[in-house]
Amino acid sequence: MIAELEIKNLTVSFDGFKAVDDLTFSVEHEELRVVIGPNGAGKTTLLDLICGKTRPTGGSIRFKGRELSRMQENSIVRQGVGRKFQTPSVYPKLTVFENLEISFPRGRGVWGSLFFKQSEDVRERIREVARDTYLSDHLHTSAEHLSHGQKQWLEIGMVLIADPKLMLLDEPVAGMSVRERQQTADLLQRICRGRSVVVIEHDMNFVKQIAHKVTVMHQGKMLVEGSMDEIQANEKVREVYLGH
Amino acid sequence: MHTLYNRALGGRSGTVGLALLCVLLFLIFPLALDNFRLNMMSKYLSYAFVAIGLVLCWGNGGILSLGQGLFWGFGGYCMAAFLKLEAARNIAAESGSDQIRALTTVGLPDFMDWNQITSLPYIWYPFKSFSLTILLVFVVPTLLAYIIGTAMFRRRVGGVYFALITQALCWIMEISFVTRQGWTGGINGITDLRTCLGWDIRTKSAQIILYFLTCGLLIGCILIGRFILSSKLGRILVAMRDGEDRVRFSGYSVSKLKTFIFCVAAAMSALGGALFALNVGFMSPKLVTIEPSIYMVIFCAVGGRNSLIGAVYGAILVSYGKTYFSEMFPNLWYFLMGGVFILVTRFFPDGLAGAVDYLGPMLGRKLFSWIGRAQANFPAAVVPIPVEANEGR
């Protein structure tokens, strides 16, 4: 089977420090992959590299056969790659509705956005995504007044509304209550139908719940890859997490 | 029709604000002010164009430009160049005497004579035509803004660095205009402008007509601004101001959007500059350098950097304050102006518009409760106050 996302020999160094070091890994269609690893393992940097926020020093990132590593950020988004950041970055002064509207993948050019018409299908899609992300009751709330967990959901919704083929989620349940975590797990199960998802997460219970496959990173390299049970049984992983 | 009402006029509250401004500009000022003061008002209003542009690019887009005088100046110089050529042609035609012809080059602006320039420089050629001049008034500053914008925003230059660069550009413009005396009139600028297409712009009636023209175009710019801000683009601008990366990763080209709004602001400024040249009858490098550019930002800050209409009031009030304080307290006026700025920014960080937004509903509630008490005596007359629904835009 041909992988959707293929990363080969990816390296990035910041002043000689290799944050990601000769990494090779791939994600298949409809797969939900979780990347774990201790702090500084290069997880967030990996997502930055895929979505174009950071430029690689070497190696290749191919998505559906297209090379992403030299594209502009907005072009990468238009290839179908969506990114949710670690700290929820939503637009505080705009309402949930407006946040989702801006993320709607139409009218992205200067003139397109100037003459963008908020037609019924747009509104319907916004309501649908708000329902999926448990925000139906807050459509007209200013995003700055949402709880931390709701901001996380909103950002997931903002990525989701563009219907990306690859979603990159950086710590989607950080700061969430137990109940919210459960809801988010349900959400992710639904999301990964029809697309691939890469999640970075620290919460092992949550990882166990959602992951199809887990990749463990350590010092910019891949340590092991496998099912959650395999990972938990792995000696090297125990060493990395507990040995320090 | 309904969308036009909502988008360009800004719904009910927007229409009321705009109507009040129109009454003030088209009715109260022309009736209350004498000719001299009305002409001063035209001058203030020509700065308001810059303030409106700044509301778009700074207040909403988060791009602080301390060099809007650059675009205002290019607009003004383009217009002044046309008027100067016409004045020069007329002087040549009026003076029948051979003596003058022997001393000057016929049809050449006077300052070129003084600088031993004997034929019109090529860059002055387009300004022989009125329609080409009008085109250049917009094209030159907008193109300049496009180049600056593309160069800066592509490289992600923003915030304070961008502000400093625009300020430096302003200074460069002043220096180059002062030093290229023969082409630009040097430090004196382009003076003694007389007629526009044969119409004497110095007469009282012309000044009144130009005042109304300025007001009309100003309202036009406000409507364009409203249209932009009420579009999705307007929301993206606010979004960009608060979280540039998120916008980028929603698939937008941040640099293109920023360049666009910067160009719009430049074009509006240029229109203001051109009207200044018509209203006041001269153009000088001292009007386009750093200090006036900072004043333009202050107009916007005092008026409220998020409010298009507020910016107009800001420009009028600060400019009027400048005139008033300098007439009444020639020694103290800088301090008084400074005091006003400190007070406004200290107590109303969102400017006058913010103060109105804050105090308006409070006064409104007091008024309604007073009406409510009055009506309580006549229960039959109680009318429910309609609450305006604000579903979607």
Side-chain angles (χ1 to χ4, degrees):
Chain A
M1 190 173 171
I2 298 168
E4 194 104 303
L5 175 71
E6 264 196 289
I7 292 174
K8 273 198 188 122
N9 309 106
L10 187 67
T11 304
V12 66
S13 76
F14 303 117
D15 298 327
F17 168 71
K18 287 184 173 167
V20 171
D21 188 4
D22 202 26
L23 184 78
T24 297
F25 101 133
S26 59
V27 180
E28 277 159 25
H29 185 58
E30 297 212 338
E31 183 186 340
L32 198 161
R33 171 73 58 95
V34 180
V35 178
I36 60 172
N39 286 333
K43 304 177 301 276
T44 299
T45 310
L46 174 64
L47 294 199
D48 285 349
L49 286 164
I50 299 172
C51 73
K53 195 169 184 233
T54 307
R55 297 284 154 196
T57 326
S60 85
I61 307 163
R62 293 177 87 80
F63 176 62
K64 287 181 181 287
R66 287 212 184 84
E67 182 64 44
L68 297 184
S69 57
R70 271 176 292 281
M71 277 187 202
Q72 287 285 322
E73 292 97 327
N74 55 323
S75 314
I76 294 176
V77 175
R78 286 174 204 203
Q79 297 298 321
V81 178
R83 166 83 188 268
K84 183 217 157 291
F85 292 93
Q86 190 167 358
T87 44
S89 50
V90 295
Y91 312 124
K93 299 286 173 205
L94 301 177
T95 65
V96 170
F97 188 93
E98 288 168 335
N99 266 280
L100 291 172
E101 188 198 10
I102 286 183
S103 315
F104 188 82
R106 200 189 294 159
R108 275 168 171 171
V110 168
W111 304 108
S113 58
L114 193 56
F115 296 104
F116 176 79
K117 271 223 154 58
Q118 197 195 81
S119 52
E120 189 47 46
D121 62 321
V122 178
R123 282 193 286 269
E124 184 45 49
R125 177 84 180 119
I126 290 172
R127 281 194 286 266
E128 187 189 316
V129 169
R131 210 164 36 240
D132 280 349
T133 51
Y134 317 106
L135 291 168
S136 285
D137 298 339
H138 303 282
L139 269 178
H140 299 290
T141 311
S142 193
E144 60 189 335
H145 299 306
L146 294 177
S147 73
H148 189 79
Q150 287 170 329
K151 281 183 191 160
Q152 297 269 39
W153 281 339
L154 176 56
E155 201 185 357
I156 295 176
M158 287 160 69
V159 177
L160 195 58
I161 200 167
D163 196 21
K165 295 294 161 233
L166 172 66
M167 266 178 101
L168 310 169
L169 305 175
D170 202 344
E171 302 200 14
V173 294
M176 280 190 181
S177 67
V178 177
R179 196 178 115 78
E180 284 174 331
R181 274 165 201 246
Q182 184 56 49
Q183 285 175 303
T184 310
D186 294 344
L187 172 64
L188 292 189
Q189 302 292 359
R190 268 178 281 141
I191 283 176
C192 69
R193 275 175 223 139
R195 61 174 64 88
S196 316
V197 183
V198 176
V199 181
I200 292 179
E201 196 42 73
H202 283 296
D203 180 347
M204 285 307 151
N205 290 325
F206 184 73
V207 174
K208 209 185 283 182
Q209 227 174 343
I210 60 164
H212 298 171
K213 222 170 162 187
V214 178
T215 299
V216 186
M217 281 183 76
H218 180 52
Q219 291 177 348
K221 292 187 165 129
M222 192 210 286
L223 197 65
V224 274
E225 196 170 85
S227 72
M228 190 63 190
D229 294 333
E230 288 165 21
I231 296 294
Q232 279 181 317
N234 191 297
E235 270 307 311
K236 277 198 279 184
V237 176
R238 282 165 185 260
E239 213 173 281
V240 164
Y241 267 99
L242 306 170
H244 289 272
Chain B
M1 194 61 213
H2 188 252
T3 39
L4 189 74
Y5 169 73
N6 273 327
R7 290 199 53 184
L9 295 176
R12 198 177 67 178
S13 67
T15 312
V16 170
L18 198 64
L20 283 177
L21 183 68
C22 283
V23 168
L24 192 70
L25 291 183
F26 289 106
L27 223 63
I28 297 178
F29 283 160
L31 291 176
L33 300 175
D34 61 36
N35 211 271
F36 172 70
R37 293 282 169 198
L38 195 67
N39 188 233
M40 295 283 265
M41 190 56 72
S42 309
K43 185 174 133 185
Y44 304 159
L45 290 177
S46 72
Y47 290 119
F49 287 87
V50 188
I52 291 175
L54 278 169
V55 168
L56 293 174
C57 83
W58 177 40
N60 286 276
I63 307 163
L64 174 57
S65 163
L66 291 177
Q68 289 303 93
L70 189 66
F71 308 118
W72 188 86
F74 270 108
Y77 265 102
C78 285
M79 184 49 93
F82 170 78
L83 298 174
K84 187 68 192 171
L85 276 184
E86 193 174 307
R89 274 198 300 276
N90 287 345
I91 291 171
E94 282 163 16
S95 68
S97 107
D98 289 336
Q99 199 181 7
I100 289 184
R101 291 196 186 175
L103 288 172
T104 65
T105 315
V106 174
L108 215 60
D110 45 15
F111 63 81
M112 290 188 187
D113 263 337
W114 307 333
N115 287 286
Q116 286 87 43
I117 287 180
T118 49
S119 65
L120 199 64
Y122 288 120
I123 55 161
W124 276 70
Y125 273 66
F127 301 111
K128 287 179 174 177
S129 146
F130 183 69
S131 42
L132 209 52
T133 302
I134 297 295
L135 193 71
L136 286 176
V137 160
F138 291 104
V139 169
V140 172
T142 311
L143 197 65
L144 190 65
Y146 181 79
I147 294 168
I148 298 171
T150 316
M152 298 293 127
F153 301 137
R154 273 248 187 104
R155 284 171 184 75
R156 315 245 162 111
V157 176
V160 124
Y161 299 99
F162 184 77
L164 286 176
I165 286 167
T166 52
Q167 196 163 69
L169 287 170
C170 235
W171 200 32
I172 291 171
M173 182 189 178
E174 189 205 350
I175 293 172
S176 48
F177 272 57
V178 169
T179 47
R180 295 298 307 184
Q181 266 199 85
W183 288 6
T184 60
I187 192 87
N188 297 320
I190 300 179
T191 54
D192 197 21
L193 307 175
R194 301 171 175 201
T195 58
C196 177
L197 297 173
W199 176 52
D200 195 332
I201 55 170
R202 292 162 303 178
T203 61
K204 275 187 182 178
S205 67
Q207 288 186 343
I208 291 173
I209 292 170
L210 283 172
Y211 169 80
F212 281 109
L213 178 73
T214 308
C215 292
L217 289 172
L218 191 67
I219 300 292
C221 281
I222 292 178
L223 294 181
I224 293 173
R226 285 255 176 94
F227 180 78
I228 293 173
L229 291 184
S230 63
S231 72
K232 183 177 160 185
L233 182 67
R235 254 114 57 212
I236 298 170
L237 285 179
V238 176
M240 235 159 46
R241 186 188 66 192
D242 300 337
E244 203 175 299
D245 256 351
R246 187 63 264 172
V247 175
R248 196 168 281 135
F249 290 106
S250 291
Y252 296 98
S253 164
V254 167
S255 71
K256 277 188 192 155
L257 294 166
K258 279 188 166 180
T259 305
F260 172 76
I261 203 68
F262 189 54
C263 285
V264 171
M268 286 185 179
S269 307
L271 178 60
L275 286 166
F276 179 90
L278 277 169
N279 277 309
V280 183
F282 76 97
M283 196 68 212
S284 125
K286 281 289 156 208
L287 294 166
V288 302
T289 184
I290 293 175
E291 192 189 314
S293 295
I294 289 176
Y295 260 110
M296 290 165 187
V297 173
I298 291 173
F299 297 153
C300 185
V302 168
R305 65 192 185 117
N306 285 315
S307 163
L308 293 164
I309 288 182
V312 178
Y313 288 114
I316 295 175
L317 276 175
V318 176
S319 310
Y320 176 74
K322 223 168 124 182
T323 311
Y324 176 80
F325 287 138
S326 60
E327 280 171 3
M328 303 306 282
F329 314 98
N331 298 322
L332 276 176
W333 75 276
Y334 262 113
F335 297 98
L336 292 171
M337 280 312 278
V340 171
F341 300 145
I342 292 170
L343 288 177
V344 168
T345 43
R346 168 69 186 79
F347 291 105
F348 303 112
D350 288 329
L352 295 172
V356 170
D357 281 350
Y358 173 72
L359 296 174
M362 218 162 74
L363 291 174
R365 270 198 302 279
K366 281 220 172 103
L367 190 69
F368 274 124
S369 72
W370 179 77
I371 294 172
R373 270 203 304 279
Q375 282 173 340
N377 300 327
F378 307 97
V382 172
V383 182
I385 300 153
V387 179
E388 212 179 351
N390 215 355
E391 174 87 13
R393 262 189 279 179

